[in-house]
Amino acid sequence: MSLTPHQEDLGVLRFITAGSVDDGKSTLIGRLLYDSKAVLTDQLSALARSKHKRTAGEDIDFSLLTDGLEAEREQGITIDVAYRYFTTARRKFIIADTPGHEQYTRNMVTGASTAHAAIILVDATRVTEVDGRTELLAQTKRHSAIVKLLGLQHVIVAINKMDLVDYSEATFDAIRAAYLELAHRLGLQDVRFVPVSALKGDNIVLASERMPWYQDEPLLDVLESLPVTQTGGELRFPVQLVARQDGSHADDFRGYMGRVESGSVRVGQALRVLPAGRDATVAEIIGPRGLLEEAYAGQCVTIRLSEDVDVSRGDTFVAAESALQPSRKLSADVCWFDEDALAPQRKYVLKQSTNSVYVKIGSVDTVLDVTTLLHGTDKTTLAMNDIGRVQLSLQKPVTADTYDANPATGAFVLIDEATHHTVAAGMIRSLAA
């Protein structure tokens, strides 16, 4: 039986929950799973008997559905990113419950890096009045800034714990106005607001009778209707592995394995191999189930070329007519993860796509103050959880795009060569040869 227009399958939506500590992110996801009938009976029984349950009697502690680590349950906070999956009649969902504590901001960045949308939670009881203005928490601002940097397509502001403010429309309006000002200053585009009580279930799956003044959709309906822009654009095929067979024979097999990050590639297509700039032609495309005539973004395939050219891991196949040029200088927005501050004299490795290259960090141009949202120019380094614009010089050229043009080839991480810690995540804003 085909779906009705209202039930049209809209595909998979990846979204995260973000916000400050104790805003109710885990409880909201647990309630969403429970009310949408995505929790099994044995799971509910186990939660009711849990020694870490923080609710009275037989009431379910929904946060335990996502807080899977023992340390998380003991402390009542989220530490790692918890992924959950559920399905409705209209679409499939992949949820990333991300930590709210400032110490685990790096885990929030990890969860947000593959998401289409973000639910930013705001605790209605924890906003303050400063000089007659509603002031949001600093971590709410930091996570919103990261959502903007990562280019998430949609932001849903869930104003939580409305049951503790007597479902006040005035409180909702004040927080909404404060966040709209924040969104305007950050440049967030598609922002929606839903007043909810994750604990009581108001406006999660069903519209709340206790907030008749809210006439829009509950949270699940909003999630079901969000459009997701599919990856298009020019061909980008970073080579992950060179596959050889019968290497001692003149007619040995040589294939180049990887994932099509954007665009498409077809048999007979003329390619350019970057950064060397060699020309080649696609002779064969091999998928998991056999030969293909064409491969599209998101598919993992092996490409065999007609010509015998020198290709290795880190090279990228682009269309022959592409104007893309390799780059050795990058300007990027960076979120610093490490407890040790950025040190220009230390050696860092930049991992971008399938590339690994030594990088020299030049100037720190600006650092975002999450309290004032101003980009200060007085800092010369980045400390843990700082967000700043930096200049990078690479030991050798890489094939990259700006993050806005192609997140798959415009994102990178920095690794400390001495400690092997991932110290930062970055988004490329401009490139130079």
Side-chain angles (χ1 to χ4, degrees), residues 216-282:
D216 292 326
E217 297 175 313
L219 181 62
L220 181 60
D221 286 1
V222 174
L223 292 170
E224 284 186 326
S225 62
L226 290 179
V228 176
T229 303
Q230 301 298 324
T231 303
E234 296 185 2
L235 170 64
R236 299 290 185 268
F237 182 84
V239 175
Q240 294 187 14
L241 181 68
V242 179
R244 299 291 305 276
Q245 182 178 340
D246 297 330
S248 60
H249 291 70
D251 57 347
D252 68 310
F253 174 89
R254 181 180 298 181
Y256 306 103
M257 306 175 72
R259 184 173 65 183
V260 183
E261 296 292 2
S262 63
S264 62
V265 59
R266 66 185 184 279
V267 174
Q269 181 176 349
L271 301 178
R272 225 163 19 101
V273 182
L274 294 178
R278 301 181 186 91
D279 295 326
T281 308
V282 178

Side-chain angles (χ1 to χ4, degrees), residues 16 148 288 291 364 366 382 390:
I16 66 162
K148 170 59 180 175
L291 297 177
V364 177
T366 60
L382 295 175
V390 300

Side-chain angles (χ1 to χ4, degrees), residues 251-404:
D251 57 347
D252 68 310
F253 174 89
R254 181 180 298 181
Y256 306 103
M257 306 175 72
R259 184 173 65 183
V260 183
E261 296 292 2
S262 63
S264 62
V265 59
R266 66 185 184 279
V267 174
Q269 181 176 349
L271 301 178
R272 225 163 19 101
V273 182
L274 294 178
R278 301 181 186 91
D279 295 326
T281 308
V282 178
E284 206 170 51
I285 302 174
I286 307 169
R289 297 183 179 179
L291 297 177
L292 302 171
E293 281 299 312
E294 192 165 9
Y296 301 91
Q299 288 185 277
C300 295
V301 296
T302 299
I303 295 177
R304 192 172 65 80
L305 302 177
S306 299
E307 298 80 6
D308 188 11
V309 296
D310 182 15
V311 179
S312 58
R313 175 181 168 86
D315 289 343
T316 301
F317 295 169
V318 302
E321 65 274 13
S322 174
L324 184 66
Q325 296 295 325
S327 304
R328 292 188 66 167
K329 296 182 183 296
L330 311 176
S331 177
D333 289 325
V334 166
C335 183
W336 196 260
F337 296 160
D338 204 41
E339 294 179 0
D340 294 334
L342 182 156
Q345 69 274 15
R346 299 188 74 163
K347 273 192 175 183
Y348 296 106
V349 176
L350 180 141
K351 286 188 175 289
Q352 173 266 343
S353 185
T354 57
N355 283 300
S356 294
V357 56
Y358 285 111
V359 60
K360 179 180 179 182
I361 302 177
S363 61
V364 177
D365 296 342
T366 60
V367 178
L368 176 67
D369 186 325
V370 296
T371 303
T372 64
L373 299 181
L374 297 177
H375 293 271
T377 58
D378 56 331
K379 288 189 176 182
T380 58
T381 188
L382 295 175
M384 188 171 73
N385 295 324
D386 276 347
I387 300 169
R389 177 71 56 86
V390 300
Q391 303 300 320
L392 306 172
S393 298
L394 310 184
Q395 184 186 50
K396 61 180 182 180
V398 298
T399 305
D401 296 276
T402 63
Y403 187 83
D404 292 337

Side-chain angles (χ1 to χ4, degrees), residues 135-152:
E135 186 69 24
L136 302 171
L137 296 176
Q139 193 69 340
T140 302
K141 296 179 181 179
R142 178 179 284 107
H143 284 177
S144 299
I146 292 171
V147 163
K148 170 59 180 175
L149 288 176
L150 291 172
L152 270 65

Side-chain angles (χ1 to χ4, degrees), residues 174-186:
I175 296 173
R176 182 178 184 275
Y179 196 92
L180 280 174
E181 181 183 349
L182 171 66
H184 176 73
R185 296 178 69 179
L186 290 174

